[in-house]
Amino acid sequence: MTLTQETSAAHQPDSIFTRAPQKQATVITDMEFLRKLMLQLANAPESFGDWHYLMEGTIKGMTKGIGLTQAAILLPDRNRKSLRTVYFEPDEGPLKRLSDMMIPLSAAPLLAHLMNNANTIVLNPQRAEKLLKNTDEQIRRALPEHLFLTSLHAGQQPLGLVLGCSDTDKEMDSRQIATCRQLCNLTNDALLAMRMNRERQLQANRR
């Protein structure tokens, strides 16, 4: 199975608002905060002011709202040859080692794939055996066993990655995964709306 085929088969659970049988109780830490954040992303993306505050809001939504142990956003250098952690919360957690690293995309094929093809992956030890087999050992050791990864984009080529996890060896709750996916989709839509509004403003100023 190719990397593209494997990633396209990644876990794509139902929306948080879809009632579906669960193996265990839903773990959403602050539903009211999350609801307000999602409404702001969907209806008033410009109210964040700029991309910086929007991304900080997304990270806060994954930790304070959804209840993940840690979340991070990785952005590329100018030449798109490597990634570094720019936003993460809290300061300590399973992603700490990764946040201290500059990650060459040539040494991390899965991350390179997500930077070229917008997609969502939920890693577990079994899937990691396939998807991380050509990854640099130091990078691989820095990745938690259970990890949510998705491409961050504004309607164009991915501009970064969003990562989230529970404790290092703890599988994420299925409803948490679904909500992470929904929150990140809203973030991408908000980034697209902000980009389009900025382009319209630039065109208007040129007239």
Side-chain angles (χ1 to χ4, degrees), residues 63-108:
T63 53
K64 178 182 177 181
I66 297 173
L68 299 188
T69 302
Q70 196 170 35
I73 291 178
L74 282 60
L75 300 179
D77 62 5
R78 182 171 298 180
N79 297 319
R80 295 180 65 89
K81 298 295 185 181
S82 62
L83 290 171
R84 65 183 180 92
T85 301
V86 178
Y87 305 92
F88 71 105
E89 182 179 307
D91 291 339
E92 299 294 332
L95 293 170
K96 171 62 176 172
R97 280 200 298 170
L98 194 72
S99 71
D100 292 334
M101 299 170 63
M102 181 69 75
I103 305 170
L105 288 174
S106 60

Side-chain angles (χ1 to χ4, degrees), residues 21-35:
Q22 301 293 322
K23 294 181 180 179
Q24 58 186 28
T26 298
V27 182
I28 301 295
T29 304
D30 192 335
M31 182 66 78
E32 182 61 20
F33 171 81
L34 192 59
R35 184 186 69 82

Side-chain angles (χ1 to χ4, degrees), residues 156-167:
Q156 298 175 322
Q157 187 179 26
L159 55 85
L161 302 178
V162 182
L163 280 61
C165 63
S166 296
D167 293 333

